[in-house]
Amino acid sequence: MDQFRGQARLPKFAIPKRYDIRLKPDLSACTFAGFVAIDIDIVGNTSFIVLNAADLSINSASVSYSSSSKVLQPVKVELVEADEILVLEFAETLPNGIGVLDIVFDGVLNDKMKGFYRSTYELNGEKKNMAVTQFEPADARRCFPCWDEPACKATFKITLDVPAELVALSNMPVIEEKVNGDLKTVSYQETPIMSTYLVAVVVGLFDYVEDHTSDGVKVRVYCQVGKTKQGKFALHVAVKTLELFKGYFAVPYALPKLDMIAIPDFAAGAMENYGLVTYRETALLYDDQHSAAANKQRVATVVAHELAHQWFGNLVTMEWWTHLWLNEGFATWVSYLATDSLFPDWNIWTQFLDECTAGLKLDGLAESHPIEVDINHASEIDEIFDAISYRKGASVIRMLQSYLGAESFQRSLASYIKKHAYSNAKTEDLWTALEEGSGEPVNKLMNSWTRQQGYPVVSVKFKDQKLEFEQSQFLLSGAPGDGQWIVPITLCCCSYDTHKSFLLQTKSETHDVKELLGACQVVSGSSWIKVNVDQTGFYRVKYDEELRARLGYAIEKKYLTETDRYGILDDSFSLCMARQQSLTSLLTLMGAYREELEYTVLSNLIEISFKVGGIAADATPDLKDDINQFFINVLQFSAKKLGWDPKQGESHLDAMLRGEVFTALAYFRHDLTLDEASKRFHAFLEDRNTPLLPPDMRKAAYVAVMQRVSTTNRSDYDSLLQVYRETDLSQEKTRILGSIASCPDPNIVLEVLNFLLTSEVRSQDAVFGLAVSKEGRETAWAWLQDKWDHISKTWGSGFLLTRFVSAVVSPFASFEKAKEVEEFFAGRTKPAIVRTLKQSIERVHINANWVQTIQKETQLAEATATAIEYDYTHLILLHWKSSLCYHSRLHLGFGMLSLPMLEAVFNAVILQIRTDVGA
């Protein structure tokens, strides 16, 4: 039997064809009993059958293999827990051909939110259990013995024995239901051929709302009793999305029904089980009175994502987890396609840039991984459900679609799905379909993007009517990388009508743009050149100083689209973090966005402000208040335009933006915001339906009141906990959890962290409370060390454990802390957190290097100012307050200068001072 231990995949001498599964969950004892008969095809010379099983008790005496000629009992039955395999050894070689393997087993309805598990809910004040499955990536083996690999597709006939009063759901419609006393036996239609990770069962008490597609597919949304009204929006999205995808993929939805169900305890956002999609409540239910606009958008995009999987993933399935991105990258990209079709005023493709940015952030680490990543053990799979598989995957698809053209891309996808339906595919199968459909060398173009990690930064210089392009691997550490890509370059000059595109296939190229420039001379004051038009390419751009200054001017004058305004800022931020641009230049650029009102652009500016503010405060604590005031000033224009109260007929995006702007002002401890938030919060405590605090503004108010909470002034914190305990809306609970740890009092932060470990917080929600204030970072780290054994035991079997590590460790900014973290985890590492731990420590090193660079920047300015007898105020003026005081520059005598000219003046002054003092 040793030959089967430690293997990445199961041996190929037996192939499953059909499963007949019977399960009997006991919701009181939290156990289940089961029987499975598996039709298998013996295709090799073997006396063994090896399949997956874990956390199950196998009745060895029940195991048998029946062929057409004989019934065989195994001489040895061994469950190898380390490898999660069940090895059956027979006394003789098994006959080739079809046979049936019978196994009786039982297990526990666990509380780990994986396999066959229990979730709890309340009905009329009484706590009850439901039974739920979550099998992706490799946990069907925890419910029944099986070939638990995506390529081992089969059909499934499922039967459930459950309490008669409960609803029992599975992938297919019910064909028979027999009641026998307190129990009923429910049988379902046999499924089409599919992978084990898509099998699903849910047993509990539910209500539902129902609709049908135009071609008769029955669609239902199931939820807890009394919440059906909250399921109507998701139902509408699902019906419309199924019809949209039927047309887009040129293949109809394959099953006769689609059920979607909200599960109170659910680790991921949702799971695309064929015909029975499971969700967190926050990703499926929408309450008109108490859900925010952001909650509505999340429901739409998550539903679209999961329904995209019914084609990409369920109908056509990745051959192995190496190709996970084929599932997740495509579903992410297509979810935006569907949402844009249903809600065009949401400007969702601009918001897609947030997906791209998340991919760029993770892939800028040396500890990233390629899109196609080798998986050698089931324990490694969870860690690749990350921003690379989902967001970089979606981004390179968008880049490729932009390059090939939408129509060619769509036709090729439809061909790919038809060819591989009910089967499995690898990345190269998709490239082949796209290459055949477009006539473009897709394999050659895309292999550099999926088989090597990272991405390039394209440096652009303008000289003598020519643009010089040079690519190099971008790393946030600032270290050199050796990757090289085929980069689709797009650029425009002064107008989006004046554009050029080409493939950068070498390290560097020079392009004559004299003809392109035409009447738009770069020497003119209003001219500009933007590379990576509309941010369709998965790369960063570094401009020379002149080009960068002119883009700042173009931003101020609103010459650029929102996608390009977003991209310029995001690239500049990352280059600053990598110490390839000064903080002064970043802050100067950020000042150009002071009249920005587009949601996605301003939302990203706010995220950047949080990061820059924290790092700058680490580097120069004395300037913390000045930095906060700078960001407050940048946000004042939008805050005044939006106001606290929603306006009649305002857009979905304005509703979301208002909440983010005032939440940011609260984090920066803007006194007027804190005062107003306090008034509205207390009105809300008196009347939970007050118009003074609509759902879009509640997080802003919750964060604001927590800024003034302390151990001696804790009433608002206690009030928030009361709201948490009284609401049954999951979105409100997570909103509160995401706010209360922002308190600057470390003692309150510790209370919050301990609260996360109580039974009052569902396991999947604890991670929302890890967003602690800067003042609470050390407290959080001490708490993580103290509680690690408990945390590791509670969350250690799923991906949520990685969130504890990254949330607590990543914000630090010292080499000493990185070493301390390494030392603590040296004897506590487990496979599920190895990659995340390395990434988190790398982020600490990146932060520490950035802090040192900022300190050197300010030290140089201080030395320069001292040498020419400038006081400290002038020192700050010369370097940082050239940006920090931008909004007050009238008082400094620079009122008539544009932003690029102002930056040029300061740079010239600094250069002259350095020359004068020999610095």
Side-chain angles (χ1 to χ4, degrees), residues 324-428:
L324 172 67
W325 84 279
L326 283 176
N327 281 19
E328 301 303 346
F330 259 93
T332 300
W333 177 77
V334 174
S335 72
Y336 279 78
L337 189 79
T339 305
D340 183 59
S341 177
L342 296 181
F343 306 101
D345 58 320
W346 288 5
N347 206 9
I348 200 73
W349 278 118
T350 301
Q351 295 186 59
F352 181 86
L353 294 177
D354 291 334
E355 304 281 357
C356 187
T357 292
L360 289 165
K361 284 179 180 176
L362 180 53
D363 213 24
L365 299 179
E367 291 293 344
S368 179
H369 62 83
I371 285 179
E372 296 181 68
V373 59
D374 290 335
I375 296 296
N376 297 310
H377 194 276
S379 63
E380 300 173 3
I381 302 172
D382 269 333
E383 279 203 300
I384 64 165
F385 281 80
D386 61 7
I388 301 300
S389 297
Y390 283 73
R391 290 160 167 179
K392 181 181 180 180
S395 299
V396 299
I397 289 163
R398 177 172 175 259
M399 179 171 67
L400 182 59
Q401 188 228 22
S402 177
Y403 178 73
L404 297 179
E407 290 185 13
S408 172
F409 191 80
Q410 181 180 352
R411 285 196 309 270
S412 301
L413 280 188
S415 174
Y416 165 82
I417 288 175
K418 286 177 182 176
K419 181 175 181 179
H420 298 282
Y422 303 106
S423 185
N424 297 85
K426 299 180 180 180
T427 300
E428 49 265 36

Side-chain angles (χ1 to χ4, degrees), residues 630-895:
F630 167 71
F631 293 130
I632 288 168
N633 290 344
V634 170
L635 295 173
Q636 281 304 297
F637 179 84
S638 55
K640 289 175 182 176
K641 280 280 187 180
L642 294 164
W644 273 85
D645 298 304
K647 297 175 176 60
Q648 187 71 32
E650 73 179 359
S651 71
H652 165 83
L653 294 174
D654 279 351
M656 292 203 300
L657 182 58
R658 176 182 296 107
E660 292 203 22
V661 167
F662 283 96
T663 300
L665 289 171
Y667 276 120
F668 290 127
R669 297 170 190 168
H670 179 231
D671 284 333
L672 293 178
T673 298
L674 301 189
D675 292 342
E676 183 65 24
S678 180
K679 293 176 187 176
R680 291 172 181 262
F681 176 68
H682 288 100
F684 171 72
L685 293 179
E686 294 296 321
D687 175 11
R688 300 295 164 81
N689 295 309
T690 178
L692 290 175
L693 198 60
D696 295 306
M697 295 301 289
R698 287 184 195 165
K699 182 170 184 181
Y702 298 164
V703 170
V705 298
M706 288 305 300
Q707 303 314 299
R708 290 174 173 170
V709 164
S710 66
T711 49
T712 57
N713 179 31
R714 56 177 296 131
S715 60
D716 285 345
Y717 170 52
D718 291 332
S719 296
L720 264 177
L721 289 181
Q722 182 181 349
V723 175
Y724 177 91
R725 288 164 177 143
E726 291 175 357
T727 186
D728 68 345
L729 185 67
S730 296
Q731 291 160 348
E732 182 76 334
K733 287 184 181 292
T734 56
R735 197 153 44 215
I736 293 169
L737 290 175
S739 305
I740 52 180
S742 68
C743 180
D745 186 329
N747 294 312
I748 296 294
V749 170
L750 182 58
E751 280 193 45
V752 171
L753 295 170
N754 286 329
F755 177 67
L756 301 179
L757 304 183
T758 68
S759 60
E760 292 192 73
V761 179
R762 292 188 184 271
S763 293
Q764 83 267 11
D765 292 337
V767 293
F768 289 107
L770 298 175
V772 303
S773 62
K774 183 177 180 62
E775 295 86 349
R777 286 191 319 203
E778 288 290 349
T779 299
W781 169 233
W783 170 84
L784 184 70
Q785 294 174 85
D786 183 50
K787 303 293 185 181
W788 179 251
D789 289 345
H790 171 75
I791 292 168
S792 182
K793 181 180 178 181
T794 305
W795 286 275
S797 59
F799 71 91
L800 288 171
L801 182 63
T802 66
R803 305 297 194 268
F804 283 86
V805 176
S806 59
V808 174
V809 173
S810 296
F812 284 111
S814 75
F815 298 111
E816 294 78 15
K817 187 60 66 178
K819 184 178 180 182
E820 186 180 325
V821 171
E822 285 180 315
E823 289 174 351
F824 174 77
F825 281 107
R828 297 175 174 86
T829 302
K830 52 173 61 183
I833 68 166
V834 169
R835 193 187 300 273
T836 299
L837 180 60
K838 289 179 179 179
Q839 290 169 350
S840 300
I841 292 171
E842 183 181 354
R843 287 189 176 100
V844 177
H845 281 281
I846 290 167
N847 293 340
N849 279 317
W850 195 10
V851 163
Q852 287 186 349
T853 298
I854 293 170
Q855 289 171 340
K856 290 176 183 176
E857 205 176 323
T858 54
Q859 287 165 5
L860 174 61
E862 186 172 15
T864 303
T866 301
I868 61 171
E869 298 181 347
Y870 271 33
D871 63 20
Y872 191 70
T873 302
H874 286 89
L875 139 71
I876 299 305
L877 170 66
L878 286 175
H879 264 248
W880 279 18
K881 285 205 170 179
S882 62
S883 299
L884 297 179
C885 295
Y886 177 73
H887 301 283
S888 304
R889 66 184 188 273
L890 283 170
H891 301 293
L892 303 174
F894 295 110

Side-chain angles (χ1 to χ4, degrees), residues 432-490:
T432 298
L434 290 167
E435 195 163 289
E436 290 173 351
S438 67
E440 295 285 345
V442 176
N443 262 294
K444 178 183 176 184
L445 174 63
M446 296 308 295
N447 282 342
S448 68
W449 294 96
T450 63
R451 292 184 177 177
Q452 67 175 335
Q453 74 179 57
Y455 57 88
V457 55
V458 177
S459 298
V460 187
K461 296 179 181 178
F462 182 77
K463 185 177 181 181
D464 300 329
Q465 302 292 295
K466 294 179 181 179
L467 284 176
E468 298 174 0
F469 297 87
E470 182 178 358
Q471 65 159 299
S472 58
Q473 184 173 353
F474 180 79
L475 290 168
L476 286 166
S477 65
D482 55 6
Q484 186 169 317
W485 291 260
I486 299 176
V487 188
I489 300 291
T490 55

Side-chain angles (χ1 to χ4, degrees), residues 304-318:
H305 180 107
E306 301 311 319
L307 298 198
H309 276 309
Q310 306 302 303
W311 285 264
F312 258 96
N314 299 9
L315 187 61
V316 181
T317 311
M318 72 225 153

Side-chain angles (χ1 to χ4, degrees), residues 593-611:
Y593 291 80
R594 66 196 181 283
E595 294 185 4
E596 182 62 63
L597 286 172
E598 204 286 325
Y599 168 75
T600 309
V601 181
L602 198 49
S603 176
N604 192 43
L605 183 140
I606 288 168
E607 285 299 311
I608 290 171
S609 299
F610 292 154
K611 180 68 176 179

